[in-house]
Amino acid sequence: MSGAQEQGLKLLVPRSGVSIYAIRVQMALAMKGLAYDYLPADPGCKSDLLLTSNPVHKKLPVLIHGGRPVCESLIIVEYLDDAFPGNGASILPTDPYRRAVARFWAAYVDNKMFPSCIGILNTAKQQERADKVEETLAAFGLLEAALAECSKEGEAEAPFFGGGSIGFLDIALGCYIPWFEAIGRLAGVPPFLDAARTPKLAAWAGRFRAAEPVIALLTAVDKVQEYITSVLYPKWNVAVTASN
């Protein structure tokens, strides 16, 4: 593993330890065999380092490489793959079309799938909650079909979106697995990753969770559930009160 001082890598992350996006970057760093300085920070208290490194969004995580910041988790993952081509396997597909497809679905997961899922908990209206559940289940159905297409290797079916090994879309979706499970528990709905409804995706999730380096990095579901109840619920309640 390349040393952090040698590579000049620093990762500025939320202190909570449950950040989907920080863990996504940590997975990419581990896959590339890169050491880095881990710098936990309080997102509620914008440090000078954060404001200097990400003056536009002022959000974590931020990767600092040789003193230069790279922001947004998916962009950071791509940057690591490009900046360290000789380290580990390629994270993004080499084929341009497959790269485009992986990016499309990664953006869909971030911008559509997860907002629908977390939205189940962020409403007290039963119809809105039911609609969010349906949207989320529909999204899982689309990813089931995407997995069948992305994992094709000739006549055979590979174990991951990235083929025979974990790739860009696996990381993009996989870091959400504990959150999907925690949200389902708190909402009192059947598991979203259901072997009867989405068998390929459910089997993929099992393989992903057990794979290196994921097994050491993926957040425990109980920890995510505690974070939602102790941190997010109070924030949402304040927002609702303020809007009334």
Side-chain angles (χ1 to χ4, degrees):
M1 177 175 284
S2 304
Q5 188 171 13
E6 176 189 343
Q7 299 296 343
L9 290 170
K10 298 178 181 180
L11 183 62
L12 193 60
V13 299
R15 197 179 299 278
S16 67
V18 300
S19 168
I20 296 160
Y21 311 108
I23 290 166
R24 176 183 282 171
V25 175
Q26 288 179 267
M27 287 180 184
L29 285 161
M31 287 177 65
K32 285 296 186 179
L34 297 167
Y36 55 96
D37 292 329
Y38 183 83
L39 304 176
D42 180 359
C45 181
K46 311 295 185 185
S47 68
D48 290 341
L49 180 58
L50 173 59
L51 294 175
T52 301
S53 303
N54 191 359
V56 177
H57 296 299
K58 304 177 180 65
K59 290 183 178 180
L60 303 167
V62 177
L63 178 77
I64 302 173
H65 180 203
R68 298 185 298 179
V70 184
C71 307
E72 300 294 311
S73 64
L74 289 177
I75 294 173
I76 295 171
V77 171
E78 290 205 43
Y79 174 80
L80 289 168
D81 206 32
D82 289 338
F84 300 96
N87 289 67
S90 178
I91 294 174
L92 278 102
T94 55
D95 176 74
Y97 177 74
R98 286 182 173 270
R99 288 168 76 97
V101 170
R103 288 176 177 134
F104 171 86
W105 285 113
Y108 176 82
V109 170
D110 277 2
N111 300 328
K112 178 66 176 178
M113 187 179 193
F114 185 68
S116 293
C117 190
I118 196 72
I120 295 167
L121 301 180
N122 193 13
T123 179
K125 298 177 180 179
Q126 291 302 313
Q127 187 56 54
E128 284 186 8
R129 175 172 287 203
D131 290 343
K132 291 295 182 185
V133 169
E134 287 303 312
E135 287 176 13
T136 303
L137 291 175
F140 273 92
L142 291 174
L143 265 296
E144 173 83 356
L147 175 58
E149 185 63 29
C150 291
S151 63
K152 282 182 181 177
E153 287 192 346
E155 297 298 320
E157 191 169 288
F160 298 105
F161 284 96
S165 60
I166 289 173
F168 184 71
L169 185 50
D170 296 284
I171 294 174
L173 177 61
C175 58
Y176 284 108
I177 290 174
W179 281 78
F180 291 141
E181 189 169 335
I183 292 166
R185 285 183 189 177
L186 291 168
V189 298
F192 295 113
L193 285 163
D194 178 54
R197 185 173 54 249
T198 52
K200 294 181 188 296
L201 210 54
W204 163 83
R207 292 190 294 269
F208 182 81
R209 288 179 115 146
E212 295 288 352
V214 173
I215 193 170
L217 292 171
L218 209 57
T219 313
V221 177
D222 289 345
K223 188 174 181 179
V224 175
Q225 192 167 334
E226 180 184 357
Y227 179 81
I228 293 172
T229 54
S230 63
V231 177
L232 294 188
Y233 275 163
K235 283 185 178 179
W236 292 336
N237 288 338
V238 167
V240 169
T241 302
S243 64
N244 289 335

